[in-house]
Every structure is written in structure tokens, then in C-alpha cells.
Amino acid sequence: MPAVDERPLSGYHSDMSAIVDHIADLFATKGAEPYGEDVSVAEHGLQCAALAVRDGADDALVIAALLHDVGHLVEDPDDEFGVHRHDVGGARFLARHFPEAVVAPVRLHVAAKRYRVAIDPDYAARLSAASTHTLAHQGGPMAPHEVADFDAEPHRDGALRLREWDDCGKVDGLAVAAFDAYRERMERLAGG
Ligand SMILES: [Fe+2]
């Protein structure tokens, strides 16, 4: 029987740990910067992940919830409300390491806001001041053809669930699980 060579496996493990360490570092060093909400980007991501766990989301959607605003941490802000197109930059960053099941809801979470505003007249009133401000820079409510395209999106439902957590996970001072609670899930997904 040939000897088992563990080098590729350990190499994968270090790659997965390296990206999770990098994201942990982004949360720790840049996550506390203000971006126009009552909570920091790091607090907000952790609250969204906790809501996803509470609602029985699968691991990919939990990690998408945790990391959906990472675009605010990897680019310079446009103004006091952060990076307007953080959906694009965040998805591009995550796509280098994570599967589509994590990346797509992140890429679509701003589109999900534009969709909800277009189809639900009450939704706009629920948005935070920062979300309302950035909406104007993100294209405003979707046009009917964009609504139809979004309805055909394979990750539509996950993106809308993430959007709901996104709008709720902004509670000042709420105690939730820490970043390390999600490490194992992130490493597993980054290795898949
Ligand atoms: Fe968010």
C-alpha cells in the first residue's frame, strides 16, 4: 500500500485557515469603523449570522449573512455610509475563496433591497437611514424587467432571507456569538 501523503491535505487546511484568519483580521481591525448605522460592520455581520442560525439557515447562508458586508472592509469608503457598491466588491473578494452558495446571496443583497422596495410599498419605510441613503446610489427601486430577472435568479430566496436579517441585525449592544463560533463552518466551506 502506498504511503499516505498528507502534504496536499495540510496545504488545503493552511489555505482555508489563512483566508479565515485574514477575514478575522479584517473584522478585528476595520470592522469597528462607523458606516452610518447604530452598529459596526463587525457587530452587524455577527447579528445577521445569529439571525440566520436562529432561522435554521444552512451553513452557506449563515456564512453569507456573516460576511455579506465584507465589501465595506476591503475597499475605501465612498462617504460616511461606507462603500455604496459593497455587494460587488464583497462578492468579488469572497468568490476567490468560497462557493457560489456563499457568494451569490452576498452579491444579491443590495439587489434584494432594490427588489423589495419595488414590490413592497411598506418596505422602504423600514430601511435604516444609511440603507435609504445608499439606495439612491445603488440604482433605486428595480424596474419591472429587473424584478422579473431577480425572480428568475437561482439564489433569489436566499438573497431575500439575507436581506431580512440585514435589515434586522442592527441592534445597538445586542450580545451574540463571536466570530470564532463560525470559523469551522467557514474553513469547511472555503475548502469545498
Ligand atoms: Fe448589511
Side-chain angles (χ1 to χ4, degrees):
M1 183 187 287
V4 176
D5 182 355
E6 291 187 349
R7 278 174 299 175
L9 186 61
S10 58
Y12 277 129
H13 277 302
S14 61
D15 284 353
M16 295 173 227
S17 296
I19 181 57
V20 175
D21 285 346
H22 178 56
I23 294 170
D25 191 54
L26 287 173
F27 266 57
T29 58
K30 302 185 84 177
E33 289 174 15
Y35 73 128
E37 301 283 5
D38 291 337
V39 290
S40 69
V41 173
E43 290 171 320
H44 173 59
L46 291 168
Q47 289 188 23
C48 290
L51 289 168
V53 169
R54 181 201 69 184
D55 288 350
D58 65 22
D59 285 350
L61 197 51
V62 169
I63 298 308
L66 176 69
L67 303 180
H68 75 277
D69 272 347
V70 76
H72 284 296
L73 309 181
V74 295
E75 291 178 17
D76 292 331
D78 294 304
D79 58 23
E80 70 270 33
F81 298 105
V83 181
H84 298 154
R85 296 315 311 264
H86 60 277
D87 49 336
V88 177
R92 193 185 306 127
F93 170 79
L94 293 174
R96 297 203 293 267
H97 311 286
F98 292 98
E100 182 69 0
V102 174
V103 176
V106 175
R107 185 172 60 242
L108 293 170
H109 83 277
V110 168
K113 175 171 69 170
R114 297 184 56 230
Y115 174 90
R116 282 287 304 271
V117 171
I119 66 160
D120 178 356
D122 297 328
Y123 177 70
R126 290 178 43 205
L127 291 173
S128 68
S131 283
T132 302
H133 169 87
T134 53
L135 176 65
H137 295 276
Q138 293 161 341
M142 279 185 171
H145 73 276
E146 294 176 298
V147 168
D149 287 347
F150 191 83
D151 278 331
E153 250 296 333
H155 292 278
R156 169 194 183 277
D157 293 351
L160 288 173
R161 294 181 79 194
L162 171 51
R163 188 69 228 174
E164 194 63 31
W165 302 321
D166 193 0
D167 294 322
C168 296
K170 300 178 178 180
V171 181
D172 189 12
L174 187 69
V176 291
F179 184 90
D180 281 352
Y182 303 99
R183 264 183 181 275
E184 201 219 332
R185 270 174 278 210
M186 267 185 280
E187 290 183 3
R188 202 165 52 237
L189 287 160

PDB file of all heavy atoms in Angstrom, residues 35-63:
ATOM      1  N   TYR A  35     -20.132  53.178   9.759  1.00  0.00           N
ATOM      2  CA  TYR A  35     -20.583  53.250   8.359  1.00  0.00           C
ATOM      3  C   TYR A  35     -22.034  53.703   8.303  1.00  0.00           C
ATOM      4  O   TYR A  35     -22.764  53.351   7.385  1.00  0.00           O
ATOM      5  CB  TYR A  35     -20.331  51.940   7.608  1.00  0.00           C
ATOM      6  CG  TYR A  35     -21.224  50.766   7.945  1.00  0.00           C
ATOM      7  CD1 TYR A  35     -21.896  50.066   6.942  1.00  0.00           C
ATOM      8  CD2 TYR A  35     -21.410  50.364   9.243  1.00  0.00           C
ATOM      9  CE1 TYR A  35     -22.712  48.995   7.229  1.00  0.00           C
ATOM     10  CE2 TYR A  35     -22.228  49.291   9.552  1.00  0.00           C
ATOM     11  CZ  TYR A  35     -22.870  48.617   8.541  1.00  0.00           C
ATOM     12  OH  TYR A  35     -23.687  47.544   8.845  1.00  0.00           O
ATOM     13  N   GLY A  36     -22.391  54.523   9.290  1.00  0.00           N
ATOM     14  CA  GLY A  36     -23.690  55.185   9.244  1.00  0.00           C
ATOM     15  C   GLY A  36     -24.809  54.447   9.941  1.00  0.00           C
ATOM     16  O   GLY A  36     -25.950  54.908   9.945  1.00  0.00           O
ATOM     17  N   GLU A  37     -24.510  53.276  10.541  1.00  0.00           N
ATOM     18  CA  GLU A  37     -25.529  52.521  11.279  1.00  0.00           C
ATOM     19  C   GLU A  37     -25.270  52.655  12.787  1.00  0.00           C
ATOM     20  O   GLU A  37     -24.251  53.188  13.214  1.00  0.00           O
ATOM     21  CB  GLU A  37     -25.469  51.038  10.883  1.00  0.00           C
ATOM     22  CG  GLU A  37     -25.695  50.763   9.398  1.00  0.00           C
ATOM     23  CD  GLU A  37     -27.169  50.859   8.991  1.00  0.00           C
ATOM     24  OE1 GLU A  37     -28.005  51.226   9.837  1.00  0.00           O
ATOM     25  OE2 GLU A  37     -27.476  50.576   7.820  1.00  0.00           O
ATOM     26  N   ASP A  38     -26.192  52.125  13.603  1.00  0.00           N
ATOM     27  CA  ASP A  38     -26.001  52.147  15.051  1.00  0.00           C
ATOM     28  C   ASP A  38     -24.977  51.105  15.503  1.00  0.00           C
ATOM     29  O   ASP A  38     -24.525  51.127  16.642  1.00  0.00           O
ATOM     30  CB  ASP A  38     -27.333  51.873  15.770  1.00  0.00           C
ATOM     31  CG  ASP A  38     -28.311  53.028  15.589  1.00  0.00           C
ATOM     32  OD1 ASP A  38     -27.850  54.154  15.316  1.00  0.00           O
ATOM     33  OD2 ASP A  38     -29.522  52.798  15.707  1.00  0.00           O
ATOM     34  N   VAL A  39     -24.691  50.159  14.638  1.00  0.00           N
ATOM     35  CA  VAL A  39     -23.727  49.095  14.952  1.00  0.00           C
ATOM     36  C   VAL A  39     -22.573  49.165  13.942  1.00  0.00           C
ATOM     37  O   VAL A  39     -22.710  49.760  12.877  1.00  0.00           O
ATOM     38  CB  VAL A  39     -24.396  47.704  14.872  1.00  0.00           C
ATOM     39  CG1 VAL A  39     -25.375  47.509  16.017  1.00  0.00           C
ATOM     40  CG2 VAL A  39     -25.090  47.493  13.530  1.00  0.00           C
ATOM     41  N   SER A  40     -21.455  48.541  14.314  1.00  0.00           N
ATOM     42  CA  SER A  40     -20.326  48.479  13.380  1.00  0.00           C
ATOM     43  C   SER A  40     -20.577  47.373  12.352  1.00  0.00           C
ATOM     44  O   SER A  40     -21.469  46.534  12.521  1.00  0.00           O
ATOM     45  CB  SER A  40     -19.037  48.189  14.147  1.00  0.00           C
ATOM     46  OG  SER A  40     -19.069  46.863  14.643  1.00  0.00           O
ATOM     47  N   VAL A  41     -19.743  47.345  11.297  1.00  0.00           N
ATOM     48  CA  VAL A  41     -19.855  46.288  10.283  1.00  0.00           C
ATOM     49  C   VAL A  41     -19.686  44.912  10.944  1.00  0.00           C
ATOM     50  O   VAL A  41     -20.412  43.964  10.630  1.00  0.00           O
ATOM     51  CB  VAL A  41     -18.800  46.478   9.173  1.00  0.00           C
ATOM     52  CG1 VAL A  41     -18.804  45.291   8.210  1.00  0.00           C
ATOM     53  CG2 VAL A  41     -19.046  47.768   8.407  1.00  0.00           C
ATOM     54  N   ALA A  42     -18.729  44.805  11.859  1.00  0.00           N
ATOM     55  CA  ALA A  42     -18.473  43.515  12.521  1.00  0.00           C
ATOM     56  C   ALA A  42     -19.676  43.102  13.375  1.00  0.00           C
ATOM     57  O   ALA A  42     -20.140  41.947  13.302  1.00  0.00           O
ATOM     58  CB  ALA A  42     -17.216  43.606  13.368  1.00  0.00           C
ATOM     59  N   GLU A  43     -20.182  44.027  14.189  1.00  0.00           N
ATOM     60  CA  GLU A  43     -21.362  43.704  15.021  1.00  0.00           C
ATOM     61  C   GLU A  43     -22.549  43.320  14.145  1.00  0.00           C
ATOM     62  O   GLU A  43     -23.289  42.375  14.452  1.00  0.00           O
ATOM     63  CB  GLU A  43     -21.746  44.920  15.883  1.00  0.00           C
ATOM     64  CG  GLU A  43     -20.769  45.249  16.984  1.00  0.00           C
ATOM     65  CD  GLU A  43     -21.087  46.583  17.654  1.00  0.00           C
ATOM     66  OE1 GLU A  43     -21.462  47.556  16.946  1.00  0.00           O
ATOM     67  OE2 GLU A  43     -20.953  46.654  18.875  1.00  0.00           O
ATOM     68  N   HIS A  44     -22.730  44.052  13.074  1.00  0.00           N
ATOM     69  CA  HIS A  44     -23.852  43.810  12.162  1.00  0.00           C
ATOM     70  C   HIS A  44     -23.754  42.418  11.528  1.00  0.00           C
ATOM     71  O   HIS A  44     -24.732  41.663  11.500  1.00  0.00           O
ATOM     72  CB  HIS A  44     -23.855  44.906  11.094  1.00  0.00           C
ATOM     73  CG  HIS A  44     -24.827  44.706   9.992  1.00  0.00           C
ATOM     74  ND1 HIS A  44     -26.185  44.588  10.202  1.00  0.00           N
ATOM     75  CD2 HIS A  44     -24.641  44.605   8.645  1.00  0.00           C
ATOM     76  CE1 HIS A  44     -26.786  44.424   9.030  1.00  0.00           C
ATOM     77  NE2 HIS A  44     -25.883  44.414   8.080  1.00  0.00           N
ATOM     78  N   GLY A  45     -22.574  42.047  11.044  1.00  0.00           N
ATOM     79  CA  GLY A  45     -22.393  40.724  10.446  1.00  0.00           C
ATOM     80  C   GLY A  45     -22.668  39.615  11.452  1.00  0.00           C
ATOM     81  O   GLY A  45     -23.333  38.614  11.133  1.00  0.00           O
ATOM     82  N   LEU A  46     -22.186  39.792  12.669  1.00  0.00           N
ATOM     83  CA  LEU A  46     -22.395  38.773  13.707  1.00  0.00           C
ATOM     84  C   LEU A  46     -23.874  38.671  14.073  1.00  0.00           C
ATOM     85  O   LEU A  46     -24.388  37.576  14.310  1.00  0.00           O
ATOM     86  CB  LEU A  46     -21.548  39.108  14.942  1.00  0.00           C
ATOM     87  CG  LEU A  46     -20.037  38.947  14.729  1.00  0.00           C
ATOM     88  CD1 LEU A  46     -19.262  39.575  15.884  1.00  0.00           C
ATOM     89  CD2 LEU A  46     -19.658  37.472  14.577  1.00  0.00           C
ATOM     90  N   GLN A  47     -24.581  39.796  14.109  1.00  0.00           N
ATOM     91  CA  GLN A  47     -26.023  39.750  14.392  1.00  0.00           C
ATOM     92  C   GLN A  47     -26.776  39.064  13.252  1.00  0.00           C
ATOM     93  O   GLN A  47     -27.699  38.276  13.489  1.00  0.00           O
ATOM     94  CB  GLN A  47     -26.576  41.157  14.626  1.00  0.00           C
ATOM     95  CG  GLN A  47     -26.113  41.776  15.942  1.00  0.00           C
ATOM     96  CD  GLN A  47     -26.817  43.087  16.264  1.00  0.00           C
ATOM     97  OE1 GLN A  47     -27.911  43.357  15.785  1.00  0.00           O
ATOM     98  NE2 GLN A  47     -26.185  43.895  17.095  1.00  0.00           N
ATOM     99  N   CYS A  48     -26.394  39.349  12.023  1.00  0.00           N
ATOM    100  CA  CYS A  48     -27.059  38.713  10.872  1.00  0.00           C
ATOM    101  C   CYS A  48     -26.815  37.203  10.880  1.00  0.00           C
ATOM    102  O   CYS A  48     -27.738  36.420  10.605  1.00  0.00           O
ATOM    103  CB  CYS A  48     -26.571  39.333   9.565  1.00  0.00           C
ATOM    104  SG  CYS A  48     -27.144  41.026   9.331  1.00  0.00           S
ATOM    105  N   ALA A  49     -25.593  36.784  11.198  1.00  0.00           N
ATOM    106  CA  ALA A  49     -25.294  35.351  11.273  1.00  0.00           C
ATOM    107  C   ALA A  49     -26.118  34.692  12.379  1.00  0.00           C
ATOM    108  O   ALA A  49     -26.645  33.584  12.200  1.00  0.00           O
ATOM    109  CB  ALA A  49     -23.802  35.146  11.510  1.00  0.00           C
ATOM    110  N   ALA A  50     -26.250  35.360  13.519  1.00  0.00           N
ATOM    111  CA  ALA A  50     -27.036  34.807  14.628  1.00  0.00           C
ATOM    112  C   ALA A  50     -28.507  34.662  14.212  1.00  0.00           C
ATOM    113  O   ALA A  50     -29.154  33.656  14.552  1.00  0.00           O
ATOM    114  CB  ALA A  50     -26.912  35.703  15.856  1.00  0.00           C
ATOM    115  N   LEU A  51     -29.026  35.629  13.473  1.00  0.00           N
ATOM    116  CA  LEU A  51     -30.414  35.542  12.987  1.00  0.00           C
ATOM    117  C   LEU A  51     -30.560  34.384  11.992  1.00  0.00           C
ATOM    118  O   LEU A  51     -31.572  33.668  12.002  1.00  0.00           O
ATOM    119  CB  LEU A  51     -30.824  36.860  12.321  1.00  0.00           C
ATOM    120  CG  LEU A  51     -31.021  38.045  13.265  1.00  0.00           C
ATOM    121  CD1 LEU A  51     -31.124  39.352  12.477  1.00  0.00           C
ATOM    122  CD2 LEU A  51     -32.257  37.855  14.131  1.00  0.00           C
ATOM    123  N   ALA A  52     -29.551  34.185  11.150  1.00  0.00           N
ATOM    124  CA  ALA A  52     -29.584  33.087  10.180  1.00  0.00           C
ATOM    125  C   ALA A  52     -29.592  31.732  10.897  1.00  0.00           C
ATOM    126  O   ALA A  52     -30.341  30.822  10.522  1.00  0.00           O
ATOM    127  CB  ALA A  52     -28.384  33.189   9.235  1.00  0.00           C
ATOM    128  N   VAL A  53     -28.780  31.611  11.946  1.00  0.00           N
ATOM    129  CA  VAL A  53     -28.756  30.369  12.739  1.00  0.00           C
ATOM    130  C   VAL A  53     -30.116  30.167  13.398  1.00  0.00           C
ATOM    131  O   VAL A  53     -30.692  29.067  13.358  1.00  0.00           O
ATOM    132  CB  VAL A  53     -27.633  30.428  13.800  1.00  0.00           C
ATOM    133  CG1 VAL A  53     -27.764  29.272  14.787  1.00  0.00           C
ATOM    134  CG2 VAL A  53     -26.268  30.411  13.127  1.00  0.00           C
ATOM    135  N   ARG A  54     -30.647  31.226  13.974  1.00  0.00           N
ATOM    136  CA  ARG A  54     -31.962  31.154  14.639  1.00  0.00           C
ATOM    137  C   ARG A  54     -33.033  30.657  13.675  1.00  0.00           C
ATOM    138  O   ARG A  54     -33.915  29.870  14.060  1.00  0.00           O
ATOM    139  CB  ARG A  54     -32.354  32.550  15.165  1.00  0.00           C
ATOM    140  CG  ARG A  54     -33.688  32.587  15.892  1.00  0.00           C
ATOM    141  CD  ARG A  54     -34.270  33.992  15.933  1.00  0.00           C
ATOM    142  NE  ARG A  54     -34.698  34.441  14.598  1.00  0.00           N
ATOM    143  CZ  ARG A  54     -35.172  35.651  14.326  1.00  0.00           C
ATOM    144  NH1 ARG A  54     -35.236  36.557  15.276  1.00  0.00           N
ATOM    145  NH2 ARG A  54     -35.550  35.968  13.096  1.00  0.00           N
ATOM    146  N   ASP A  55     -32.943  31.081  12.425  1.00  0.00           N
ATOM    147  CA  ASP A  55     -33.961  30.729  11.433  1.00  0.00           C
ATOM    148  C   ASP A  55     -33.647  29.436  10.681  1.00  0.00           C
ATOM    149  O   ASP A  55     -34.335  29.106   9.703  1.00  0.00           O
ATOM    150  CB  ASP A  55     -34.130  31.878  10.434  1.00  0.00           C
ATOM    151  CG  ASP A  55     -34.832  33.079  11.069  1.00  0.00           C
ATOM    152  OD1 ASP A  55     -35.338  32.952  12.200  1.00  0.00           O
ATOM    153  OD2 ASP A  55     -34.865  34.150  10.428  1.00  0.00           O
ATOM    154  N   GLY A  56     -32.622  28.705  11.139  1.00  0.00           N
ATOM    155  CA  GLY A  56     -32.349  27.386  10.567  1.00  0.00           C
ATOM    156  C   GLY A  56     -31.724  27.409   9.184  1.00  0.00           C
ATOM    157  O   GLY A  56     -31.848  26.432   8.435  1.00  0.00           O
ATOM    158  N   ALA A  57     -31.034  28.500   8.841  1.00  0.00           N
ATOM    159  CA  ALA A  57     -30.373  28.564   7.528  1.00  0.00           C
ATOM    160  C   ALA A  57     -29.250  27.539   7.440  1.00  0.00           C
ATOM    161  O   ALA A  57     -28.670  27.159   8.462  1.00  0.00           O
ATOM    162  CB  ALA A  57     -29.811  29.973   7.312  1.00  0.00           C
ATOM    163  N   ASP A  58     -28.937  27.098   6.210  1.00  0.00           N
ATOM    164  CA  ASP A  58     -27.806  26.177   6.064  1.00  0.00           C
ATOM    165  C   ASP A  58     -26.492  26.950   6.241  1.00  0.00           C
ATOM    166  O   ASP A  58     -26.475  28.186   6.300  1.00  0.00           O
ATOM    167  CB  ASP A  58     -27.869  25.422   4.731  1.00  0.00           C
ATOM    168  CG  ASP A  58     -27.715  26.329   3.513  1.00  0.00           C
ATOM    169  OD1 ASP A  58     -27.164  27.432   3.630  1.00  0.00           O
ATOM    170  OD2 ASP A  58     -28.159  25.911   2.428  1.00  0.00           O
ATOM    171  N   ASP A  59     -25.399  26.168   6.335  1.00  0.00           N
ATOM    172  CA  ASP A  59     -24.114  26.790   6.679  1.00  0.00           C
ATOM    173  C   ASP A  59     -23.701  27.864   5.676  1.00  0.00           C
ATOM    174  O   ASP A  59     -23.165  28.914   6.068  1.00  0.00           O
ATOM    175  CB  ASP A  59     -23.016  25.721   6.762  1.00  0.00           C
ATOM    176  CG  ASP A  59     -23.121  24.889   8.026  1.00  0.00           C
ATOM    177  OD1 ASP A  59     -23.906  25.259   8.923  1.00  0.00           O
ATOM    178  OD2 ASP A  59     -22.406  23.869   8.120  1.00  0.00           O
ATOM    179  N   ALA A  60     -23.929  27.603   4.381  1.00  0.00           N
ATOM    180  CA  ALA A  60     -23.513  28.575   3.368  1.00  0.00           C
ATOM    181  C   ALA A  60     -24.238  29.910   3.560  1.00  0.00           C
ATOM    182  O   ALA A  60     -23.632  30.977   3.453  1.00  0.00           O
ATOM    183  CB  ALA A  60     -23.776  28.029   1.965  1.00  0.00           C
ATOM    184  N   LEU A  61     -25.522  29.840   3.885  1.00  0.00           N
ATOM    185  CA  LEU A  61     -26.281  31.088   4.058  1.00  0.00           C
ATOM    186  C   LEU A  61     -25.928  31.778   5.380  1.00  0.00           C
ATOM    187  O   LEU A  61     -25.939  33.006   5.465  1.00  0.00           O
ATOM    188  CB  LEU A  61     -27.783  30.806   3.952  1.00  0.00           C
ATOM    189  CG  LEU A  61     -28.701  32.000   3.698  1.00  0.00           C
ATOM    190  CD1 LEU A  61     -28.238  32.849   2.513  1.00  0.00           C
ATOM    191  CD2 LEU A  61     -30.141  31.540   3.477  1.00  0.00           C
ATOM    192  N   VAL A  62     -25.601  30.986   6.400  1.00  0.00           N
ATOM    193  CA  VAL A  62     -25.129  31.576   7.661  1.00  0.00           C
ATOM    194  C   VAL A  62     -23.841  32.359   7.409  1.00  0.00           C
ATOM    195  O   VAL A  62     -23.697  33.511   7.864  1.00  0.00           O
ATOM    196  CB  VAL A  62     -24.889  30.491   8.737  1.00  0.00           C
ATOM    197  CG1 VAL A  62     -24.139  31.075   9.939  1.00  0.00           C
ATOM    198  CG2 VAL A  62     -26.211  29.877   9.180  1.00  0.00           C
ATOM    199  N   ILE A  63     -22.926  31.764   6.647  1.00  0.00           N
ATOM    200  CA  ILE A  63     -21.651  32.441   6.385  1.00  0.00           C
ATOM    201  C   ILE A  63     -21.858  33.627   5.440  1.00  0.00           C
ATOM    202  O   ILE A  63     -21.212  34.663   5.575  1.00  0.00           O
ATOM    203  CB  ILE A  63     -20.604  31.437   5.845  1.00  0.00           C
ATOM    204  CG1 ILE A  63     -20.342  30.355   6.908  1.00  0.00           C
ATOM    205  CG2 ILE A  63     -19.306  32.141   5.468  1.00  0.00           C
ATOM    206  CD1 ILE A  63     -19.995  30.874   8.303  1.00  0.00           C
TER     207      ILE A  63
END
